[in-house]
Amino acid sequence: MRKLLALALLLLSPTLSWSLDQALEAKIGALLGRMTLEEKLGQLQQLGGPGTQPAPPNYSEAARKGRLGSVLTLLGSKNINELQKAALESRLKIPILFGFDVIHGYRTIFPMPLAEAASWEPSLAEKAAQIAAAEAYAAGVRWTFAPMVDIARDPRWGRIMEGSGEDPYLGSVFAAARVRGFQGTDYSEPGRLAACAKHWAAYGAAEAGRDYNTADVSERTLREVYFPPFKAAVDAGVATFMSAFNDLDGLPASANPWTLTQVLRKEWGFEGFVVSDYESIKELIKHGVAADAAGAALAALPAGVDMEMVSDTFMASVPTLVQQGELSMETVNEAVRRVLRIKMRLGLFERPFAEDLPEAETMKKPEYLAAAKEAADKSLVLLKNDGPTLPFTKDLKTLVVVGPLAADTTSMLGWWAGDGKPEDAITLLDGLRRKLPTASVKQFQGCDIDCLSDGGFAEAVEAAKSADAVVLALGESYTMSGEAASRSSIDLPGHQLELALAVLAAGKPTAVVLFNGRPMTLSKLHEKAPAILEAWFPGTMGGHSVADALFGDVNPGGKLPSTFPRNLGQVPLYYNHKNTGRPALNPTDRYLSKYIDSPNAPLYPFGWGLSYTTFALKDLSLDQKTIPPSGSIQASVTVENTGPVAGDEVVQLYIRDAVSSVSRPVRELKGFQRVTLKPGEQRRVGFALGPKELGAYDQEMRWKVEPGTFQVFAGTSSAGGLEASFDVLSK
Ligand code: BGC
């Protein structure tokens, strides 16, 4: 009923296409008028490419006939230009759009996206995307399948590494920053790419964290948690969207008119095109919502998917469907129109070819590597530092490095590493040897990544006993996260924990460095290890960043964008949960919402991260005591570096709508700022809270600021902090 009402309102409202460039639309219309149905379907077809190999001959044939609109993963200017030449020999000379997964770098690899989000510094992600775009553009790529903006609340899901974590606000800020980074203000400029917000929708809500699995999410949670980063991408002008693999409330995302047309186009005014995910249209058959290719095409195209990735149900079935009157030519035309719109906005007709510049002029430029280093520095999260153990002194004579990840070049880059080359990566061992040219830096693997055998433990432990300090490089290999890499345990793999405990028992100053693509369960390690540094998959320059941090040349200042649970049974565990009618405030009362065998609280909460200095927050103030529902309020707080060295703190602002017509989360992040302060330095940080931050969907799914008390929390993580409150008046 609600959906029908919204539809009726939209039909009555003026068209959303007012912002379209009429001259461009006329040009598209003229071109469309000259196209045969086969040529139209050609524009809706994307084929998978062979990477660095030349495209197969049947691709050139299809291109020459105008039957190939886009190719993914064809790399190298020569390969790209050869196929483009064939497309330009076609009757209407419509260029092919070349796309690739440029997720966290093309050749210079930046920290994986979740790690970048741990920097809480969106300008850094924007710059990373800009550099990735420049390198990819130089190689002939014009479209990236990024940013991935899926919210993930389940660390079993391997693709959590590709997004910005669990929070819709942080996720939205990073989504917008990355779109700006890839596209700039005008993506037809050389060095920019068309971006693609993916995977629409609720792909990250896969049940049990199993990739591609069903999602079943209420409309409220979709609109409040899973949709906002996508909306932020639309508002930032993202050129394209990708429809997801999963089904959602009974409808696969690649055949869902509510998400693809009602929300995306009608409510949000998105003007670009939607590409399906890899064969996700053909997969409608396996989902059981289509009997055959024709049924799949008929479910996807009218729902709002415009371009088909890899499978070819449109190409194969649409002519008959149109002929039989089951599909209107207008539906086909609209999809083609959207694809041509983006090709034209991209300037592809004017500049279809890749420039063939020498690699040294376009890839891994010194300033790109410096940016990747800064990004890795700022993504590091110091989870624990008792003693303090870190930073180590540079005067030490013998450093022993143990663990399977000290010298794994590929895992430094992480999954989705573009055209990144493992041999470019600085490993932790490289970084440490460069940092300590006169010390003896000895490496003992202890075991391989799966760590099934303890055969190498004794040697490592012996070496640790004679060391001045020890670094344990533990975690996951890059293949353990990313696509199709869900884990049913998020512990350290195999016997890595036992290796760590044996080495820690040697009693030397020891720091654990974790390389991993997801939050892990680290309770035992946390109990035994004095210092833990989360390095994620830090990219090409990661080894230098970690070595700098271990020896105090970089002061870690990142914060977790995802909760680290104590144990897997707590999952899904996220900070912005509801209070329930029985919050677990009294540990002795049985009948509360809690476990009998575990605390509710995580090991490390969202927003957590330490530093080599200390910070204090004080004087949280609000500039008003009451505001009308349309009003804004300013919250200010002072942050002071109370410790011995310069460092970064991320001041985080949360709200809670204390009484509302619908239950609200116990906290919601609404602002943050990363500041760098010298010892003793203070800064006043301000956050504006208006209807956008204070509102929520009411029972009729209308965005509204409800009267009543709001609490405001200023903290250095999602737990604790200073508190104030104000009232929203009824008028
Ligand atoms: C992934 C997408 C990716 C596409 C093309 C799919 O399997 O889900 O994220 O963009 O492949 O590589």
Side-chain angles (χ1 to χ4, degrees):
M1 186 58 203
R2 195 185 301 131
K3 287 176 192 167
L4 278 179
L5 198 72
L7 201 64
L9 281 173
L10 271 157
L11 290 175
L12 295 173
S13 67
T15 164
L16 281 163
S17 60
W18 56 271
S19 68
L20 294 176
D21 171 343
Q22 293 312 324
L24 190 84
E25 294 304 307
K27 222 166 127 185
I28 299 169
L31 182 53
L32 202 52
R34 295 173 59 206
M35 293 170 84
T36 64
L37 179 55
E38 278 63 35
E39 286 165 337
K40 289 176 184 172
L41 296 174
Q43 289 308 306
L44 308 185
Q45 179 69 59
Q46 180 182 73
L47 293 179
T52 51
Q53 300 301 308
N58 61 326
Y59 280 41
S60 315
E61 255 165 62
R64 245 177 238 112
K65 289 188 191 141
R67 301 197 57 159
L68 183 53
S70 177
V71 172
L72 84 139
T73 320
L74 180 67
L75 301 181
S77 336
K78 191 164 169 288
N79 294 333
I80 284 180
N81 287 344
E82 235 170 66
L83 188 57
Q84 192 67 293
K85 209 165 140 266
L88 296 181
E89 285 163 15
S90 67
R91 197 175 73 88
L92 295 173
K93 304 184 178 16
I94 303 176
I96 293 173
L97 177 53
F98 292 97
F100 186 51
D101 291 287
V102 184
I103 309 292
H104 53 115
Y106 181 78
R107 182 69 192 268
T108 304
I109 303 304
F110 286 79
M112 64 177 203
L114 185 67
E116 273 182 5
S119 72
W120 293 57
E121 197 165 297
S123 61
L124 186 149
E126 183 172 340
K127 193 161 174 197
Q130 184 187 337
I131 291 170
E135 287 188 339
Y137 181 93
V141 175
R142 302 301 289 274
W143 177 25
T144 174
F145 305 120
M148 188 278 218
V149 302
D150 294 314
I151 294 292
R153 289 173 156 184
D154 191 329
R156 289 172 293 186
W157 192 51
R159 299 196 80 166
I160 195 170
M161 57 81 53
E162 244 185 282
S164 299
E166 74 190 36
D167 184 64
Y169 180 83
L170 187 68
S172 298
V173 172
F174 272 83
R178 290 190 170 118
V179 171
R180 286 195 304 270
F182 287 126
Q183 296 192 163
T185 47
D186 174 359
Y187 50 81
S188 74
E189 280 171 9
R192 298 292 186 170
L193 306 177
C196 179
K198 70 185 188 186
H199 308 79
W200 180 241
Y203 181 46
E207 275 183 6
R210 208 180 70 222
D211 208 2
Y212 316 126
N213 203 6
T214 297
D216 202 343
V217 186
S218 71
E219 183 179 344
R220 174 174 311 284
T221 303
L222 286 173
R223 288 192 182 273
E224 290 183 356
V225 178
Y226 290 92
F227 284 2
F230 287 95
K231 174 66 161 55
V234 172
D235 292 345
V238 73
T240 68
F241 258 53
M242 186 184 291
S243 66
F245 288 122
N246 57 286
D247 75 336
L248 172 64
D249 190 14
L251 259 195
S254 295
N256 188 328
W258 183 66
T259 50
L260 293 164
T261 298
Q262 171 59 28
V263 176
L264 181 59
R265 264 83 181 224
K266 295 193 173 159
E267 293 183 25
W268 296 354
F270 174 67
E271 296 168 352
F273 72 85
V274 175
V275 62
S276 76
D277 204 343
Y278 208 99
E279 299 202 324
S280 66
I281 299 185
K282 193 169 102 186
E283 289 173 14
L284 296 174
I285 302 170
K286 290 201 176 137
H287 275 290
V289 299
D292 51 21
L298 198 54
L301 193 56
V305 180
D306 304 302
M307 184 184 279
E308 180 168 7
M309 187 186 282
V310 179
S311 57
D312 62 355
T313 70
F314 290 1
M315 190 69 105
S317 323
V318 167
T320 314
L321 291 171
V322 170
Q323 204 183 23
Q324 292 172 344
E326 291 193 63
L327 189 72
S328 76
M329 189 60 100
E330 195 31 56
T331 303
V332 178
N333 285 348
E334 187 51 36
V336 179
R337 177 180 284 280
R338 291 172 185 148
V339 171
L340 293 176
R341 183 180 295 144
I342 297 304
K343 286 190 173 183
M344 287 189 186
R345 285 186 182 174
L346 196 49
L348 204 57
F349 287 80
E350 290 78 28
R351 283 178 294 103
F353 291 110
E355 298 165 17
D356 207 1
L357 296 171
E359 190 177 296
E361 284 174 29
T362 55
M363 305 288 162
K364 288 194 301 159
K365 290 189 193 178
E367 64 267 33
Y368 295 175
L369 293 172
K373 168 71 169 53
E374 188 191 349
D377 290 351
K378 292 196 163 161
S379 301
L380 298 171
V381 183
L382 186 61
L383 295 174
K384 181 177 177 190
N385 191 20
D386 278 2
T389 304
L390 289 174
F392 290 142
T393 161
K394 283 181 209 157
D395 297 336
L396 51 75
K397 303 252 174 324
T398 309
L399 179 72
V400 166
V401 187
V402 178
L405 284 152
D408 179 345
T409 47
T410 321
S411 284
M412 295 306 284
L413 304 183
W415 192 259
W416 292 121
D419 196 29
K421 313 275 184 234
E423 61 269 26
D424 292 343
I426 308 292
T427 64
L428 174 56
L429 198 63
D430 298 333
L432 290 170
R433 291 206 160 127
R434 195 86 65 86
K435 172 121 305 227
L436 305 171
T438 57
S440 154
V441 179
K442 297 184 190 154
Q443 189 217 357
F444 297 86
Q445 214 190 359
C447 60
D448 65 11
I449 191 76
D450 295 319
C451 207
L452 300 176
S453 148
D454 62 3
F457 288 16
E459 191 190 26
V461 172
E462 259 335 285
K465 284 181 185 158
S466 58
D468 298 319
V470 181
V471 176
L472 274 160
L474 306 175
E476 303 178 310
S477 76
Y478 80 103
T479 55
M480 293 178 183
S481 63
E483 187 172 352
S486 297
R487 294 184 66 201
S488 68
S489 154
I490 55 170
D491 289 343
L492 288 171
H495 297 293
Q496 281 192 39
L497 177 63
E498 286 79 354
L499 172 65
L501 298 181
V503 170
L504 284 161
K508 296 292 175 168
T510 302
V512 175
V513 177
L514 291 172
F515 297 96
N516 49 314
R518 55 159 60 77
M520 302 187 76
T521 36
L522 303 168
S523 296
K524 190 75 185 175
L525 190 70
H526 173 81
E527 196 186 299
K528 298 288 181 187
I532 307 178
L533 180 67
E534 176 57 81
W536 316 103
F537 294 126
T540 307
M541 300 298 282
H544 285 319
S545 294
V546 179
D548 279 353
L550 292 175
F551 288 90
D553 292 331
V554 159
N555 187 351
K559 300 279 181 170
L560 294 179
S562 249
T563 301
F564 275 44
R566 284 169 202 273
N567 55 67
L568 194 60
Q570 295 178 306
V571 167
L573 185 65
Y574 44 89
Y575 84 94
N576 48 353
H577 61 85
K578 300 292 178 72
N579 202 39
T580 81
R582 296 186 172 198
L585 298 177
N586 175 4
T588 61
D589 185 346
R590 181 183 180 101
Y591 295 96
L592 299 179
S593 179
K594 61 186 174 65
Y595 302 100
I596 55 171
D597 58 355
S598 163
N600 282 5
L603 181 64
Y604 305 121
F606 173 83
W608 175 259
L610 301 169
S611 165
Y612 296 152
T613 189
T614 49
F615 293 92
L617 295 186
K618 56 186 182 189
D619 304 330
L620 171 62
S621 70
L622 304 174
D623 67 347
Q624 295 161 79
K625 285 198 171 63
T626 57
I627 56 165
S630 58
S632 283
I633 197 160
Q634 175 85 8
S636 309
V637 67
T638 298
V639 51
E640 181 182 0
N641 182 342
T642 50
V645 290
D648 288 9
E649 181 55 280
V650 181
V651 183
Q652 303 164 36
L653 194 89
Y654 297 86
I655 64 159
R656 178 176 184 182
D657 184 348
V659 181
S660 169
S661 62
V662 291
S663 62
R664 303 297 312 151
V666 294
R667 283 193 182 197
E668 298 176 76
L669 182 71
K670 294 295 175 183
F672 61 86
Q673 208 174 311
R674 181 167 176 153
V675 294
T676 305
L677 297 175
K678 295 196 203 77
E681 195 183 348
Q682 305 194 353
R683 180 116 13 111
R684 193 96 183 127
V685 183
F687 302 94
L689 298 170
K692 194 164 168 244
E693 290 77 24
L694 301 174
Y697 290 98
D698 69 6
Q699 290 177 44
E700 276 75 47
M701 283 294 160
R702 288 173 308 209
W703 188 259
K704 205 155 101 188
V705 180
E706 294 200 20
T709 301
F710 281 75
Q711 289 166 289
V712 176
F713 308 89
T716 55
S717 85
S718 60
L722 304 174
E723 197 183 323
S725 68
F726 66 95
D727 284 333
V728 172
L729 304 173
S730 50
K731 290 205 211 87

